[in-house]
């Protein structure tokens, strides 16, 4: 009985610390790609909410150009020219300088959404989402 109670308490404690998709993210204004242009593709990047890594901002870059800094439960909407791009994220050095990047090919008429999430091991990932 005590082992079962301990196992349940551990699962509840650990699940409370993981990030969860943001329900109503706050919108951040990007420094680049803020307005639609001919041939641009709408891209939304949303950072999860939750406790893990919430003290650290995450820099969002497109082709090595910083476009926004996101905190927990924040989102940025971009209008990026169609074609191949590298989307990357990085925390500041105070938070370990964690990085992730993905190679993306954007096609006109096909909006994209991505989310930034963290796990218990301080792994930060940029992943496609629905």
């Amino acid at each position: 009985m005590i082992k079962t109670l301990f196992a349940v308490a551990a699962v509840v404690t650990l699940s409370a610390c993981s990030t969860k998709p943001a329900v109503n993210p706050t919108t951040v204004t990007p420094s680049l790609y803020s307005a639609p242009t001919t041939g641009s593709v709408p891209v939304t990047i949303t950072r999860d909410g939750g406790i893990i890594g919430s003290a650290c901002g995450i820099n969002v870059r497109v082709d090595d150009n910083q476009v926004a800094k996101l905190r927990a439960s924040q989102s940025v909407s971009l209008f990026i020219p169609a074609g191949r791009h590298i989307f990357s994220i990085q925390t500041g050095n105070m938070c370990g300088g964690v990085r992730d990047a993905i190679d993306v090919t954007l096609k006109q008429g096909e909006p994209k959404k991505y989310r930034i999430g963290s796990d218990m091991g301080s792994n930060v990932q940029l992943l496609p989402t629905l």
Side-chain angles (χ1 to χ4, degrees):
M1 179 70 170
I2 292 177
K3 287 182 182 180
T4 303
L5 247 114
F6 179 73
V8 169
V11 167
V12 169
T13 301
L14 291 176
S15 67
C17 293
S18 62
T19 62
K20 296 175 178 28
V23 178
N24 292 312
T26 305
T27 302
V28 171
T29 303
S31 58
L32 294 172
Y33 307 116
S34 60
T37 59
T38 303
S40 66
V41 178
V43 174
T44 303
I45 300 174
T46 303
R47 183 171 172 191
D48 284 357
I51 295 174
I52 296 209
S54 63
C56 299
I58 293 181
N59 295 314
V60 177
R61 301 175 82 79
V62 175
D63 298 329
D64 210 30
N65 296 306
Q66 182 163 335
V67 295
K69 184 172 189 173
L70 298 180
R71 298 217 170 266
S73 296
Q74 288 187 327
S75 179
V76 64
S77 295
L78 307 165
F79 297 93
I80 301 173
R84 187 174 178 194
H85 301 277
I86 301 293
F87 293 177
S88 61
I89 56 173
Q90 181 177 0
T91 63
N93 290 335
M94 294 291 289
C95 296
V98 179
R99 297 178 185 189
D100 192 24
I102 55 175
D103 188 336
V104 176
T105 300
L106 300 175
K107 295 180 183 174
Q108 210 168 354
E110 295 181 18
K112 297 290 185 177
K113 292 184 180 182
Y114 297 90
R115 83 181 251 232
I116 300 169
S118 303
D119 64 18
M120 293 296 294
S122 297
N123 296 311
V124 180
Q125 291 184 307
L126 177 61
L127 302 165
T129 189
L130 299 175

